[in-house]
Amino acid sequence: INDQKVANHKGGYLPFMVDITSFLNSQKENVIKVKVNNEDNPEILPGKPLKGLDFNYFGGIYRNVYLVTTNKLYITNANQANKVAGGGVFVNFGDISKSKASGTIQVDLKNEFAVVKKAVLQFTLKDKQGNKTVFKSDAISLKANEGKAFVQNVSLLNPKLWSISSPNLYNLEIQVLSNSKIIDTYSERIGIRKSEIKEDGYYLNDEKMYLAGTNQHQEYPYVGYAISDEAQYRDAVKIKNAGFDLVRMSHYPHAEAFMNACDELGLLVMNSLTGWQFFGNETFQKNAIQDIRDMARRDRNHPSVIFWEASLNETEMSEKFMKQATKALKEELPFEHYYSASWMDNANYDLFIPARQHAKAPDYWTKYKNGNRKIFIAEYGDWEYYAQNAGFNQTAFSNLKNFERSSRQLRGDGEKRLLQQAYNYQESANSNKKGEQTIGDANWLMFDYNRGYSDDLESSGISDIFRIPKFAYYFHQSQRSANVVLDSKLVSGPMIHIANYWTASSPLDVTVYSNCDEVALYLNDVLVSRQKPTVNQNSDKLNHAPFLFKVDKFSAGTLRADGFIKGQKVVSNIVKTPETATKIELSYDVSSKAINPNNPDVVFVYAKITDANGTIIPDATYDVTFALSEGNAELIGANPVKAEAGIATILLKTSNLKTPIKITASSESLQKGTLKISN
């Protein structure tokens, strides 16, 4: 501040706050400078040099920055206060039923006046419908320069519980009243839910459930971590739409905007300490313990967070460190049902979260037994097939080349390889459910991503880095039951998808993913077959096994799949044989969150190479040139860009959306595509 150093923060994923009051000059302009350093540092998490890291550790300031002004009597910030299980506001509902919920709201107040100050705290809980419940504290007195925590007991009759299908949130507002005047206000959305690991599994609000999850890295192509709050929300929507109810933060705490989206959308979270295959010196370990505390303080009021990975991922940690890590977490979260998790099967942790592919045969997880210790398969479906040593039925694919067996398949690698990726995930997911102690799983992973140790993409995502789905996406989506009804902004209900492009080179064994009872497949309106799901040793535990059809021979035209539930047709999907490429169709993706009209935002713009009927050409690799002719925005990425599997993608970065944006996409011999975007 004004060329005087006032703070030094270590670590790139968790927040810090600096009180700059005493460094400001009221007589002139003040200058705040921030110097960031992203050089490899073995004492700061993740510790491992970038060139050996399985994700990218981006530099710069890529999360929100706020200037906060307060009265001298104010509610503190939990991360700044640095108090065990204290600072800021800590909400905990410990006694929850459908008829009543009781708990506490702890508030940390600081009096920076030179005299004693008296105050009253007023708490207002408002539900989505606007109904309010108000609580008021007794009179509070703080000495000069004193900080103190106050606890308010609260109870609600007939609470609106937060769940994966009905993520009810309350807006909590806390007012600090002094001499009947409001001198400070705090507001946060909270949820009331009961999360429990019991003898026979995991329960949310007293209902047993198997946790279907995925992993996610928070990066975008070209811009890394520097994405908007809206972009974070869109990723959460995509994860929920893919059929998942849980996301593991891989391998670091994600942005607060993403956590808020999970709260709003009903997406459970495994929060994770920064780390991957590195265990540093005493200073590194000390920083790791502080990060556990900071993570807990930042995220303790999020109803979405049910598990806390207070563990360095895929890292051989010392017994001493593991004891310190869980001790720190339990000190920060000193209530029931805050569960610690580790990839090591260690008694210091509540939950064992192994990566299924790490050297163990598949039946190890099926037959896993360590007392009544529960496991959550934190990663599955990737490396075990990459190494060709873990699948039950992989010998049936002995004629496949190494690259064809792998789950690491780009969207442009073709039907055969994308079907293999989907089958790998299916086989693992089915196997996971055979374990008596397994309460859930998370596939590896949602989106393709960049990493430090390799120039190519890690491509085991069920969507590519541009968020375009692969076949495996629809397999996972089909596992959510058709009778689940989510918010209208999300995808739910009956679904069906033909995993085939229906070209002359497409497989005649046609795979259809659906959550229906029966599927009828038609070729050019002639019935091929009406079938039940195909149940075998690699699908017998799935919620909804795939439907496998045999078509006698290829005939250009239309494949149509109709899905039936209790004999009634409820959903259809059509695939058409692509004809000659003739035009470009432009679209952009907002995933239920409109472009921010006032602040910078970033969205994907897709140029689809299609025939005259609008059918995407699945093997098209045209060079596409994007141009911005109107609007306050910029295009980011390769330009021209080569289409992959018929789609070329670029990023659009908007400064604001006060005026319309016009984008064109062109390629030799194709009709130009035009897109207009307005508020």
Side-chain angles (χ1 to χ4, degrees), residues 337-536:
H337 311 316
Y338 287 88
Y339 296 107
S340 64
S342 172
W343 81 287
M344 294 181 70
D345 194 358
N346 186 278
N348 287 294
Y349 294 93
D350 299 315
L351 183 65
F352 180 27
I353 54 166
R356 169 191 159 109
Q357 55 258 41
H358 287 164
K360 302 289 187 182
D363 62 356
Y364 178 86
W365 309 113
T366 304
K367 299 174 182 176
Y368 172 84
K369 192 76 174 176
N370 185 353
N372 197 40
R373 185 170 177 74
K374 297 293 183 286
I375 64 173
F376 178 94
I377 305 293
E379 299 176 22
Y380 72 87
D382 173 31
W383 187 261
E384 54 194 313
Y385 297 100
Y386 191 79
Q388 305 173 41
N389 66 356
F392 279 123
N393 199 34
Q394 292 299 300
T395 53
F397 304 99
S398 57
N399 61 323
L400 293 179
K401 300 178 179 65
N402 290 354
F403 62 83
E404 292 175 328
R405 292 175 182 265
S406 172
S407 294
R408 301 190 178 188
Q409 303 293 352
L410 294 167
R411 200 175 54 82
D413 284 339
E415 292 162 288
K416 179 180 179 181
R417 289 166 63 173
L418 291 178
L419 284 166
Q420 184 64 35
Q421 182 199 49
Y423 188 84
N424 291 352
Y425 283 121
Q426 171 197 323
E427 190 181 65
S428 291
N430 190 69
S431 173
N432 291 342
K433 287 196 166 189
K434 296 181 179 181
E436 290 183 8
Q437 300 298 89
T438 305
I439 63 172
D441 52 29
N443 82 333
W444 187 264
L445 80 166
M446 185 67 201
F447 307 118
D448 293 350
Y449 65 97
N450 287 289
R451 55 234 166 110
Y453 73 72
S454 181
D455 291 336
D456 64 336
L457 287 175
E458 207 285 35
S459 56
S460 53
I462 63 170
S463 294
D464 71 10
I465 196 169
F466 300 113
R467 279 48 179 173
I468 304 172
K470 305 173 189 177
F471 289 158
Y473 172 99
Y474 299 101
F475 160 70
H476 286 287
Q477 190 181 62
S478 73
Q479 297 309 295
R480 176 176 284 148
S481 293
N483 60 6
V484 172
V485 179
L486 302 177
D487 186 278
S488 60
K489 70 170 70 77
L490 297 168
V491 174
S492 63
M495 68 77 61
I496 194 166
H497 185 84
I498 303 169
N500 195 295
Y501 300 146
W502 202 239
T503 68
S505 59
S506 295
L508 293 177
D509 292 339
V510 177
T511 300
V512 177
Y513 298 117
S514 180
N515 55 11
C516 294
D517 301 336
E518 289 182 284
V519 168
L521 184 70
Y522 296 84
L523 174 56
N524 296 325
D525 293 326
V526 176
L527 181 66
V528 174
S529 178
R530 179 165 169 169
Q531 297 178 190
K532 298 281 189 182
T534 304
V535 178
N536 55 38

